[in-house]
Amino acid sequence: MSFYDVLQRGDEFILKDRPGQSRIWNFFSQATCMAVVGGSKAILGLFYNVNVKGLDNLDHGLAKARAENRGFLTLMNHMSVCDDPFIWACLPWRYFLSLDDIRWGLAASNICFNSKASSTFFSLGKLFACERFGRGPFQGGLDALVRILSPDDTLDTDHIFQGTEKSIPVGSTLATDVRSFYSPRYTPPVLRYKTSWVHIFPEGYVCQLKPPHNNSMRFFRWGTARLILEPTVAPVVVPIFTDGFEKIVPEAKVDDVVDSVLPQGIGSTITVNIGKALDDRIIEAFRAEWRALCDKYHDKLHPNDLSFELKFGKEAEALRSRVCDYLREKVAQLRLENGFPPEDERLKSQKFWSEYTKTDGASAPDIQFVGYNWAVRAYQKNTKTYDEYGNEISK
């Protein structure tokens, strides 16, 4: 189920770096996206061989989402800093003729949103800032994606009061605010004519490992599960696995100024494997578990927001973990189809990666990165410090 306060925070975050309902903004946003995709297409067409498998799965998934008035969610492994936008350069131009057909996504705030100019550029590129290194899954960028995946005409009081035992007093200020939010006078934060497409990289960081672990994945971060559980209606979910982008920008070259901006591995093959839409029955089963937890752990004093137990309780965290494990397994199946051997079982575990990162790889010296493990805070700039509940700690 959805919560009014989450959707409202999503609205506010969407409007943080962009105007609402602006046709002029939409024009420049689509122009920005098409320009970047066009440049990427030129590079791929000139220097690489692109093999796209399962494009009909993408077509069918998007058509299903639109026909059923649902959001569309794609998720993919993260092998290179060029994954986005080069993944889109592999698709036909018809995916970019409407701004509503261009994906929304997340980008690292410490890299892509560290100045007014970069914030404007990436906002025009339909990306929201995501804070890493301890901020956790309950932050503005993810609230925004929950809202984006919630079709505008599905926002109603059923998504507020479900599981609250109607505990908001009739005539209270809060009840008035709620009705106002969902009233005909309410203006959605973006101008759109179709339900939206969201694309994410659930690993959160680029992951290039040396053989024999090459093209393996990290665990999927729990914010991904929010995009399954919390929109007003279940999204249609399509998994994607790619390989070859790591040859265009190998992490070993990041310290070389020239090599870091010039494409590498000329002549390499880029393979994009798009899976079928995931089983709606499984997605709905997860959402039914979530609704049961919302009934069990709603906060009667603050019924329109996630309670502490729904954020940090063991049952809620276990559900998010199972959702992410399921999604990761579906992407991993596509990896096998691309010809790679089964992954090391350790790499599926959040606990393994936490210890591996904390020890800078010393806990598993047989697993080595090409370049850096970017999950290590010391390797990145402009980062903030948070406590275990995602609250910023003043330095």
Side-chain angles (χ1 to χ4, degrees):
M1 63 171 286
S2 304
F3 286 89
Y4 160 72
D5 286 356
V6 171
L7 297 173
Q8 185 180 49
R9 285 195 297 270
D11 273 8
E12 293 168 355
F13 197 88
I14 291 168
L15 294 170
K16 179 182 177 183
D17 292 310
R18 53 180 59 78
Q21 296 286 319
S22 171
R23 287 182 172 81
I24 295 175
W25 176 272
N26 277 10
F27 171 81
F28 284 106
S29 180
Q30 185 171 4
T32 299
C33 293
M34 292 184 73
V36 173
V37 168
S40 302
K41 277 183 173 291
I43 293 173
L44 290 183
L46 287 171
F47 302 118
Y48 300 97
N49 302 306
V50 177
N51 177 27
V52 179
K53 301 187 291 185
L55 186 61
D56 57 331
N57 293 331
L58 193 65
D59 288 332
H60 293 160
L62 186 56
K64 175 181 173 67
R66 296 282 166 68
E68 298 176 4
N69 195 35
R70 297 161 62 186
F72 185 57
L73 175 65
T74 52
L75 38 93
M76 182 183 120
N77 62 312
H78 204 2
M79 286 294 298
S80 171
V81 295
C82 74
D83 285 341
D84 192 317
F86 277 43
I87 174 63
W88 312 118
C90 297
L91 302 182
W93 272 113
R94 57 188 168 83
Y95 282 96
F96 310 99
L97 299 181
S98 166
L99 183 62
D100 288 326
D101 291 335
I102 298 174
R103 64 87 189 97
W104 293 87
L106 297 173
S109 61
N110 65 307
I111 299 173
C112 302
F113 290 84
N114 55 14
S115 71
K116 179 62 177 177
S118 64
S119 294
T120 300
F121 175 76
F122 286 104
S123 294
L124 285 168
K126 299 185 70 175
L127 295 169
F128 298 116
C130 180
E131 296 183 67
R132 304 183 294 187
F133 303 104
R135 180 64 176 85
F138 305 103
Q139 55 176 289
L142 285 159
D143 291 341
L145 290 187
V146 169
R147 175 63 184 89
I148 287 292
L149 286 170
S150 300
D152 296 332
D153 59 359
T154 64
L155 276 66
D156 57 56
T157 52
D158 287 343
H159 302 295
I160 306 168
F161 294 113
Q162 182 176 356
T164 66
E165 300 175 356
K166 307 294 188 292
S167 56
I168 300 179
V170 175
S172 71
T173 301
L174 180 57
T176 302
D177 290 344
V178 169
R179 286 194 299 272
S180 177
F181 184 69
Y182 291 107
S183 74
R185 295 188 301 276
Y186 165 68
T187 302
V190 295
L191 181 65
R192 57 180 175 178
Y193 303 97
K194 307 175 186 175
T195 55
S196 294
W197 177 353
V198 168
H199 179 83
I200 58 168
F201 300 95
E203 296 166 86
Y205 303 91
V206 169
C207 181
Q208 285 187 25
L209 298 176
K210 294 181 179 180
H213 306 291
N214 53 298
N215 296 84
S216 294
M217 296 181 288
R218 302 175 190 263
F219 77 101
F220 280 14
R221 306 186 76 83
W222 289 351
T224 309
R226 292 193 63 197
L227 307 184
I228 300 293
L229 301 174
E230 295 185 41
T232 54
V233 292
V236 174
V237 186
V238 169
I240 302 173
F241 184 87
T242 66
D243 66 82
F245 292 132
E246 73 280 5
K247 299 171 184 175
I248 299 177
V249 185
E251 285 290 300
K253 300 285 189 178
V254 295
D255 286 334
D256 187 301
V257 175
V258 176
D259 285 345
S260 66
V261 298
L262 293 179
Q264 307 294 308
I266 303 299
S268 297
T269 296
I270 312 300
T271 301
V272 178
N273 191 358
I274 304 169
K276 294 182 178 180
L278 302 186
D279 192 332
D280 282 341
R281 294 170 297 180
I282 296 176
I283 298 298
E284 285 295 348
F286 285 134
R287 286 171 61 88
E289 288 188 58
W290 172 245
R291 287 192 294 272
L293 288 178
C294 292
D295 287 341
K296 183 177 180 180
Y297 291 118
H298 73 271
D299 185 341
K300 291 184 179 180
L301 295 178
H302 304 92
N304 295 306
D305 206 351
L306 294 161
S307 66
F308 182 88
E309 283 292 335
L310 291 176
K311 287 182 177 181
F312 307 111
K314 291 183 178 180
E315 291 176 76
E317 289 187 343
L319 174 58
R320 291 189 189 97
S321 181
R322 286 192 289 111
V323 171
C324 288
D325 288 346
Y326 169 71
L327 298 174
R328 189 186 186 284
E329 181 59 30
K330 292 303 178 182
V331 177
Q333 289 175 6
L334 300 175
R335 176 182 177 275
L336 295 177
E337 291 178 11
N338 278 23
F340 294 99
E343 293 179 294
D344 188 313
E345 289 293 320
R346 293 174 293 174
L347 301 180
K348 302 177 183 180
S349 166
Q350 183 272 340
K351 184 177 180 180
F352 166 83
W353 280 108
S354 178
E355 183 66 18
Y356 183 90
T357 299
K358 185 171 64 176
T359 64
D360 201 5
S363 62
D366 60 311
I367 296 177
Q368 298 184 3
F369 271 82
V370 177
Y372 299 106
N373 174 10
W374 291 111
V376 176
R377 181 192 296 270
Y379 297 150
Q380 298 207 27
K381 300 178 180 179
N382 304 316
T383 59
K384 300 177 181 179
T385 302
Y386 300 94
D387 64 18
E388 61 182 316
Y389 301 121
N391 300 308
E392 186 176 352
I393 300 174
S394 298
K395 295 182 179 180

